[in-house]
Amino acid sequence: MRFKFPLMAIGLEVAMIVLFSLFVQYETDHNTTSHINNTMAADMDGFLKLYPLFQDVHIMIFVGIGFLMTFLKKYGFSSVGINLLIAALGLQWGTIAQGMLHSHGKKFQIGIKNMINADFSTATVLISFGAVLGKTSPIQMLIMTIIEISFFAGNEYLVGEIFKASDIGASMTIHTFGAYFGLAVAGVLYRSGLRRGHDNEESVYHSDLFAMIGTLFLWMCWPSFNSAIAETGDKQYMAIVNTYFSLAACVVTTYAFSSLVQHRGKLDMVHIQNATLAGGVAVGTCADMTIHPYGSMVIGSIAGIVSVFGYKFLTVYHGNAGSCPGFFHRNSSCWRSDYRFNSKVTHLGTATGRVLL
Amino acid sequence: MRFKFPLMAIGLEVAMIVLFSLFVQYETDHNTTSHINNTMAADMDGFLKLYPLFQDVHIMIFVGIGFLMTFLKKYGFSSVGINLLIAALGLQWGTIAQGMLHSHGKKFQIGIKNMINADFSTATVLISFGAVLGKTSPIQMLIMTIIEISFFAGNEYLVGEIFKASDIGASMTIHTFGAYFGLAVAGVLYRSGLRRGHDNEESVYHSDLFAMIGTLFLWMCWPSFNSAIAETGDKQYMAIVNTYFSLAACVVTTYAFSSLVQHRGKLDMVHIQNATLAGGVAVGTCADMTIHPYGSMVIGSIAGIVSVFGYKFLTVYHGNAGSCPGFFHRNSSCWRSDYRFNSKVTHLGTATGRVLL
Amino acid sequence: MRFKFPLMAIGLEVAMIVLFSLFVQYETDHNTTSHINNTMAADMDGFLKLYPLFQDVHIMIFVGIGFLMTFLKKYGFSSVGINLLIAALGLQWGTIAQGMLHSHGKKFQIGIKNMINADFSTATVLISFGAVLGKTSPIQMLIMTIIEISFFAGNEYLVGEIFKASDIGASMTIHTFGAYFGLAVAGVLYRSGLRRGHDNEESVYHSDLFAMIGTLFLWMCWPSFNSAIAETGDKQYMAIVNTYFSLAACVVTTYAFSSLVQHRGKLDMVHIQNATLAGGVAVGTCADMTIHPYGSMVIGSIAGIVSVFGYKFLTVYHGNAGSCPGFFHRNSSCWRSDYRFNSKVTHLGTATGRVLL
């Protein structure tokens, strides 16, 4: 039992190395024989141009999501630590899974977009991780990482290549998928635990400040997230501008409604840490379209409102309206409300809102 | 009373959305009819080239200033939380106010420079916020945000367009303006409170470490701040290099004089958190000029010294020379000393130093 | 005695300013007379293209290394604070020392590569600082900064210009050099102290979370570190990709072996904070070569394993196998194990592993 986790981790890493040696090439590997230097220089130019956006996505995955989940008194190490493990394993497997699907099982080359997409695929698992934090062992997380990214890569291939649906910020493929996957896993494993309170689910002053580090970096880098794989030019420009203003509007309505639904008009740190980000998720699907800045602000405003109400409504529903709501409700309602809203916008169906309730 | 804040916030957000729908366009809106694709591609190239600098400014506003003010034991949430609210509302209003002034009331397009300038305009309010932290309600901050940015936009228009004065790092228009505005508001509202000590103004170990996160990100990103809206080419290059060396020199003299003015030669975290940044402010006005690296180091060195002395002198003046000076004196003297120095350099007049003393 | 530190710091800063006025020029200083605008615009283009990588290196030096060392309960201020002082002084002296060596004592121009190299040279001192943290006065650190960067610049000139050895991520010149220099200093000054435990060397919950901020930013920015001064084009591309995958693989094996060597299979925060970075150091020397992604993953995997074993073995050796190993052993064994591994790879000799044991 004791050796199960290390042996599985080592086995997975060995498998990754073997798969990489079989399938992964440098971008330069084909060019060296036939192309002239100019081409590669131009390629590298594009690489470096997207590199800052890639680094922003990196910050969101490792610092943003990692620290967002530190607000629990006793799960600070787990959230940051296991977050790093999942992300590191996930980006290797994501590179392989997505690369092989798109190359139809042949060798493929690593470009900046592969690296961005690899980071994206880990985001799915990390969102699911939020729903099961403190309830799973590292070994379960390893398995979940491999399985969920496989599903994600298949799902993303379907949405993007077969259905040709537009989902530039990956709101559907990453966020909605990740949230429901996590809720499903949590539902299967811990349904009975849902009704009990948890002593470990408390928040303390400093852990809330640590969580704000995560919130702020997520908030700041979201325009990069929604635009990183957009078409260069107009679409990338619009993805950045739309996300920027959607997030700004979302903050204002989140604060307004957080104060509105509280007993004495005070602001709730849970809303500030989570609902302020709903604007980025909500605008994700259509960020690269001509929705105009005011359109994105409308989307962001509504996202903030729905997210705050989602917390309030769902938290009460579970009979847990104390000053410090338990983590599971807190987190799941957060994501769930985002996704409910999102699903309304994208007409993905409304039945999904009922999961686990 | 309870609904005052939410209603005002919602009203302001609705107003922003209406204003955006009337006045704000994409950069691509004009081009689509007449220009060829090349032009837009070139525009987008410029957009992405400045985007990393914009993100650095973003980090300064949201993480830098937000966490710099967390050093107070009981105001950690307020400082980070209200900081986010002010900045999110401010950047929307700043976009409108500055855009309309420069377009003389016609529709205008959102480029990367508008986004940088919008972030700049929020900086003014956040600096003023530092002077009134813990003494104002969120509703007062909303009003202050709207009023101050209006003044700022007018002021910036005057300095830049009418007087054609050079102020690349916006030291005058942002820092000096923001500091005195905040002190004036604090003076009007809380003059009597100045003499009393405040229990809530204590610092604790971890809050000082959180504040260092703010300090370090501000310190690192300041070269981007001073160069983001500089003319491309020589001037932008010089703004980065000058600010970089000014800040480095400022750190060394700040440590030297912090140790010099302390009882036992120890270093004071207050100086380290604040005076180390004086070099960025001081060089701001002339950062894009040919002052040579050693010139910027002289400016930075003096800024650090004056800032440390400003603390010491002004703190004693208020009869508050304990080991943990109250926040108000601490913060205001910090900025004030920077600005006193700054005003000497820019010959803005010396009478300003007397405000509130 | 009290005035020794301030006077020395002021003296050093004055010396820096004089040296800068004698030797340092803008990149534009030569061009203005003869060249056309086009050339400078192209230069500035290159400057801005590398600027985000430079900022990443900056983040590693000031936030990464600074916060990595905050895990000690009582040395949080010292580590972040003195880290800032050393880095600020060091980058000025590093600019001068490296610039003069490469220009053979003539005037030289400040480009983005000089700024990156200046940051690199401070890294050496900061790594040595880790080995003597809590055991040296600020004044000793000033002296160490000046001396060590002089040696580093000479060493780097020898390796790069005379031997023409390849060491793109500067693993040899920075990390190995810095680690042994620090251990040597610690050995000379405090050999007797090595056997005693230290009460101040405890870690607490929140300080471990602060340290994770350092770890994560170091981990994320390492690809920029290893590629910042690489040749533009293929080599820079490979340096980024190789480091990215080496680090990812290193995380997985670090977790696996951390669990393996612990009593009950638990993960050790010390390993997570430090050994996860070994992949970046290990691949540093050959990051820009065609080692293929799977090759870099093999290097990263082994680096993680060796680093964890290094901790375990060396900690036991010092008879200090408690749950909270003393800082000195902890830190030194960390770096030492990295470098031992590194030295195996680069065939620098195996005798070095014996230092101080």
Side-chain angles (χ1 to χ4, degrees):
Chain A
M1 187 60 208
R2 206 199 113 177
F3 299 110
K4 225 169 157 185
F5 168 74
L7 290 181
M8 173 170 278
I10 294 163
L12 285 171
E13 188 53 46
V14 170
M16 291 303 145
I17 291 175
V18 171
L19 286 168
F20 265 71
S21 72
L22 295 175
F23 292 104
V24 181
Q25 289 185 315
Y26 289 129
E27 272 192 338
T28 49
D29 284 355
H30 268 292
N31 295 345
T32 39
T33 48
S34 57
H35 287 24
I36 49 171
N37 275 342
N38 266 4
T39 320
M40 185 52 210
D43 282 10
M44 191 56 207
D45 226 59
F47 191 97
L48 276 189
K49 207 178 283 171
L50 287 183
Y51 185 66
L53 281 74
F54 163 69
Q55 284 292 68
D56 284 352
V57 174
H58 230 46
I59 287 180
M60 291 175 73
I61 301 292
F62 290 92
V63 170
I65 305 186
F67 273 96
L68 184 61
M69 291 193 269
T70 54
F71 63 91
L72 291 175
K73 201 170 55 182
K74 296 191 182 164
Y75 292 130
F77 292 168
S78 297
S79 64
V80 179
I82 302 296
N83 190 80
L84 176 59
L85 174 65
I86 296 172
L89 175 66
L91 68 86
Q92 297 177 58
W93 176 232
T95 303
I96 288 287
Q98 292 187 294
M100 282 179 66
L101 268 173
H102 287 276
S103 75
H104 302 288
K106 295 197 208 101
K107 290 195 176 219
F108 60 92
Q109 302 179 344
I110 288 285
I112 188 78
K113 295 220 171 174
N114 300 60
M115 289 163 68
I116 294 169
N117 273 317
D119 267 26
F120 277 4
S121 67
T122 68
T124 328
V125 194
L126 296 175
I127 289 167
S128 305
F129 175 48
V132 297
L133 181 63
K135 294 163 198 282
T136 45
S137 67
I139 201 168
Q140 288 175 315
M141 291 316 303
L142 289 182
I143 298 169
M144 191 166 130
T145 302
I146 298 300
I147 295 176
E148 188 167 355
I149 287 181
S150 312
F151 276 106
F152 166 78
N155 189 30
E156 186 263 340
Y157 183 73
L158 270 182
V159 171
E161 298 277 311
I162 310 295
F163 296 161
K164 304 277 181 200
S166 176
D167 185 24
I168 198 63
S171 289
M172 281 185 281
T173 46
I174 294 178
H175 302 289
T176 318
F177 181 76
Y180 287 117
F181 198 100
L183 290 174
V185 169
V188 169
L189 296 177
Y190 310 100
R191 189 175 292 272
S192 62
L194 273 174
R195 266 83 203 173
R196 279 180 293 131
H198 291 266
D199 289 344
N200 292 341
E201 286 171 357
E202 281 169 48
S203 153
V204 288
Y205 189 83
H206 276 132
S207 45
D208 260 328
L209 272 184
F210 278 113
M212 281 305 292
I213 297 177
T215 300
L216 290 176
F217 276 105
L218 283 169
W219 196 89
M220 290 187 303
C221 297
W222 217 294
S224 302
F225 191 89
N226 280 352
S227 67
I229 56 166
E231 222 175 275
T232 320
D234 292 24
K235 283 185 174 294
Q236 195 160 34
Y237 160 78
M238 284 194 273
I240 291 175
V241 171
N242 289 336
T243 310
Y244 176 69
F245 286 115
S246 173
L247 285 163
C250 179
V251 168
V252 178
T253 58
T254 295
Y255 277 67
F257 280 81
S258 175
S259 165
L260 207 61
V261 301
Q262 285 284 94
H263 284 295
R264 301 193 206 142
K266 286 203 161 194
L267 297 166
D268 186 338
M269 283 308 277
V270 180
H271 300 152
I272 295 177
Q273 281 159 10
N274 296 285
T276 50
L277 302 171
V281 179
V283 88
T285 298
C286 54
D288 63 338
M289 298 178 188
T290 319
I291 52 173
H292 296 290
Y294 78 89
S296 61
M297 286 159 73
V298 171
I299 295 176
S301 300
I302 298 173
I305 297 169
V306 175
S307 183
V308 170
F309 274 117
Y311 269 104
K312 191 71 189 171
F313 169 72
L314 291 165
T315 308
V316 169
Y317 187 91
H318 285 305
N320 199 353
S323 59
C324 178
F327 168 72
F328 185 82
H329 308 144
R330 182 178 187 169
N331 197 63
S332 62
S333 64
C334 154
W335 290 110
R336 214 179 299 158
S337 56
D338 292 351
Y339 301 103
R340 169 172 304 168
F341 168 70
N342 223 17
S343 61
K344 274 181 190 162
V345 167
T346 56
H347 303 288
L348 273 178
T350 52
T352 47
R354 298 263 186 99
V355 174
L356 268 185
L357 287 181
Chain B
M1 185 60 206
R2 206 198 114 180
F3 298 110
K4 226 168 155 184
F5 168 73
L7 290 181
M8 174 169 277
I10 294 163
L12 284 171
E13 188 54 47
V14 171
M16 291 303 146
I17 292 176
V18 172
L19 286 168
F20 265 72
S21 73
L22 294 175
F23 291 104
V24 181
Q25 290 185 315
Y26 289 129
E27 270 192 338
T28 49
D29 285 356
H30 268 291
N31 295 344
T32 39
T33 48
S34 56
H35 287 23
I36 49 169
N37 275 342
N38 266 4
T39 320
M40 186 53 211
D43 281 11
M44 191 56 207
D45 225 61
F47 191 98
L48 276 189
K49 207 178 281 170
L50 286 183
Y51 185 66
L53 280 74
F54 163 70
Q55 284 292 68
D56 283 353
V57 174
H58 230 43
I59 287 180
M60 291 175 74
I61 301 291
F62 290 92
V63 169
I65 306 186
F67 273 96
L68 183 61
M69 292 192 267
T70 54
F71 62 90
L72 290 175
K73 201 169 53 183
K74 295 191 183 164
Y75 292 129
F77 291 169
S78 297
S79 64
V80 179
I82 302 296
N83 190 80
L84 176 59
L85 174 65
I86 295 173
L89 176 65
L91 67 87
Q92 297 177 57
W93 175 232
T95 304
I96 288 287
Q98 292 187 295
M100 283 179 65
L101 268 173
H102 286 276
S103 75
H104 303 289
K106 295 199 208 100
K107 290 192 175 219
F108 59 91
Q109 304 179 343
I110 289 286
I112 187 79
K113 294 219 171 173
N114 299 60
M115 288 164 67
I116 294 169
N117 273 317
D119 267 27
F120 277 5
S121 67
T122 68
T124 329
V125 193
L126 296 174
I127 289 168
S128 305
F129 176 48
V132 298
L133 182 63
K135 294 162 199 281
T136 46
S137 66
I139 201 167
Q140 288 176 315
M141 291 316 302
L142 291 182
I143 299 170
M144 191 166 131
T145 304
I146 300 299
I147 295 177
E148 187 166 356
I149 288 181
S150 311
F151 275 106
F152 167 78
N155 188 31
E156 186 263 339
Y157 183 72
L158 269 182
V159 171
E161 297 279 310
I162 309 296
F163 296 162
K164 305 276 181 200
S166 177
D167 185 24
I168 200 62
S171 289
M172 280 184 282
T173 46
I174 294 179
H175 302 290
T176 318
F177 181 76
Y180 288 117
F181 199 100
L183 291 173
V185 169
V188 170
L189 297 176
Y190 311 98
R191 188 175 291 274
S192 63
L194 274 174
R195 265 84 203 174
R196 280 181 292 132
H198 290 265
D199 289 346
N200 292 340
E201 287 171 355
E202 281 168 47
S203 154
V204 288
Y205 189 83
H206 277 132
S207 46
D208 260 329
L209 272 184
F210 277 113
M212 281 305 291
I213 298 177
T215 299
L216 291 176
F217 276 105
L218 283 170
W219 196 90
M220 290 186 304
C221 297
W222 216 293
S224 302
F225 191 89
N226 280 352
S227 67
I229 56 165
E231 222 175 276
T232 320
D234 291 24
K235 283 184 174 294
Q236 195 159 35
Y237 159 77
M238 284 194 271
I240 291 175
V241 171
N242 288 336
T243 310
Y244 176 69
F245 286 116
S246 173
L247 284 163
C250 180
V251 167
V252 178
T253 58
T254 295
Y255 277 67
F257 280 82
S258 175
S259 166
L260 207 60
V261 300
Q262 285 286 93
H263 285 294
R264 300 193 207 143
K266 287 203 158 193
L267 296 167
D268 186 338
M269 283 308 276
V270 181
H271 300 151
I272 294 177
Q273 282 159 9
N274 295 286
T276 48
L277 303 170
V281 179
V283 88
T285 298
C286 54
D288 63 338
M289 298 178 190
T290 320
I291 53 174
H292 296 292
Y294 77 90
S296 60
M297 286 159 74
V298 170
I299 294 176
S301 299
I302 297 174
I305 297 169
V306 175
S307 184
V308 170
F309 275 118
Y311 269 105
K312 191 70 187 171
F313 168 70
L314 291 165
T315 308
V316 169
Y317 186 91
H318 286 303
N320 199 353
S323 59
C324 175
F327 169 71
F328 184 83
H329 309 143
R330 183 177 186 172
N331 196 61
S332 62
S333 64
C334 153
W335 289 110
R336 212 179 302 157
S337 56
D338 293 350
Y339 301 102
R340 170 173 301 168
F341 167 69
N342 225 17
S343 61
K344 274 181 190 161
V345 167
T346 56
H347 303 290
L348 272 178
T350 51
T352 47
R354 298 264 185 100
V355 175
L356 267 185
L357 288 180
Chain C
M1 185 61 206
R2 207 198 113 178
F3 298 111
K4 224 167 157 184
F5 168 73
L7 290 181
M8 174 170 277
I10 295 163
L12 285 171
E13 187 54 47
V14 170
M16 290 305 147
I17 292 176
V18 171
L19 287 168
F20 266 71
S21 72
L22 293 176
F23 291 104
V24 182
Q25 290 185 314
Y26 289 128
E27 271 192 336
T28 49
D29 284 355
H30 268 293
N31 295 344
T32 39
T33 48
S34 57
H35 287 23
I36 50 170
N37 275 341
N38 266 4
T39 320
M40 185 54 210
D43 282 10
M44 191 56 207
D45 225 60
F47 191 98
L48 277 189
K49 207 177 282 171
L50 286 184
Y51 185 66
L53 280 75
F54 164 68
Q55 283 293 67
D56 283 354
V57 174
H58 230 45
I59 288 180
M60 291 174 73
I61 301 291
F62 289 91
V63 170
I65 305 185
F67 274 96
L68 184 61
M69 291 192 268
T70 54
F71 63 89
L72 290 176
K73 201 170 53 181
K74 297 190 182 166
Y75 292 130
F77 292 168
S78 297
S79 63
V80 179
I82 302 296
N83 189 80
L84 177 59
L85 173 65
I86 295 172
L89 175 65
L91 68 86
Q92 297 177 56
W93 175 232
T95 304
I96 288 287
Q98 292 187 295
M100 282 179 66
L101 269 172
H102 286 275
S103 75
H104 302 289
K106 293 199 209 101
K107 289 194 175 218
F108 59 92
Q109 303 179 341
I110 289 287
I112 187 78
K113 295 222 172 171
N114 299 60
M115 289 163 66
I116 294 169
N117 273 317
D119 267 27
F120 277 4
S121 68
T122 68
T124 330
V125 192
L126 297 174
I127 289 168
S128 305
F129 176 49
V132 297
L133 181 63
K135 294 163 199 279
T136 46
S137 66
I139 202 167
Q140 289 174 315
M141 290 317 301
L142 291 182
I143 298 169
M144 191 166 131
T145 304
I146 298 300
I147 295 177
E148 187 166 356
I149 288 181
S150 311
F151 276 105
F152 166 78
N155 189 31
E156 186 263 338
Y157 182 74
L158 269 182
V159 171
E161 297 278 310
I162 309 296
F163 296 161
K164 304 276 181 201
S166 177
D167 184 25
I168 199 62
S171 288
M172 280 184 283
T173 46
I174 293 179
H175 303 290
T176 319
F177 182 76
Y180 288 117
F181 198 99
L183 290 173
V185 169
V188 169
L189 296 177
Y190 311 99
R191 187 175 292 274
S192 62
L194 273 173
R195 265 85 203 173
R196 280 180 291 133
H198 291 266
D199 288 345
N200 292 340
E201 287 171 357
E202 280 168 47
S203 154
V204 287
Y205 190 83
H206 277 133
S207 45
D208 260 330
L209 273 184
F210 277 113
M212 281 305 291
I213 298 177
T215 300
L216 291 176
F217 277 104
L218 283 169
W219 195 90
M220 290 186 304
C221 298
W222 217 294
S224 302
F225 192 89
N226 280 352
S227 67
I229 56 166
E231 220 176 278
T232 320
D234 292 24
K235 284 186 173 291
Q236 195 160 36
Y237 160 78
M238 284 194 272
I240 291 175
V241 171
N242 289 336
T243 310
Y244 176 69
F245 286 114
S246 172
L247 284 163
C250 179
V251 168
V252 178
T253 57
T254 295
Y255 277 67
F257 280 82
S258 175
S259 165
L260 207 60
V261 300
Q262 285 285 95
H263 284 295
R264 300 192 207 143
K266 288 204 159 194
L267 297 166
D268 185 337
M269 283 308 277
V270 181
H271 300 152
I272 295 177
Q273 282 159 8
N274 296 287
T276 49
L277 302 170
V281 179
V283 87
T285 298
C286 53
D288 63 338
M289 298 178 188
T290 319
I291 53 175
H292 296 291
Y294 77 89
S296 60
M297 287 159 74
V298 171
I299 294 176
S301 300
I302 297 173
I305 297 168
V306 175
S307 184
V308 169
F309 274 118
Y311 269 104
K312 193 69 189 173
F313 169 70
L314 291 165
T315 308
V316 169
Y317 186 91
H318 286 304
N320 198 355
S323 60
C324 176
F327 168 73
F328 184 83
H329 310 141
R330 181 177 188 171
N331 197 62
S332 62
S333 64
C334 153
W335 290 111
R336 213 180 300 158
S337 55
D338 292 351
Y339 301 102
R340 167 173 304 167
F341 167 70
N342 223 16
S343 61
K344 276 181 188 161
V345 167
T346 54
H347 302 289
L348 273 177
T350 50
T352 47
R354 298 265 185 99
V355 173
L356 267 184
L357 289 180

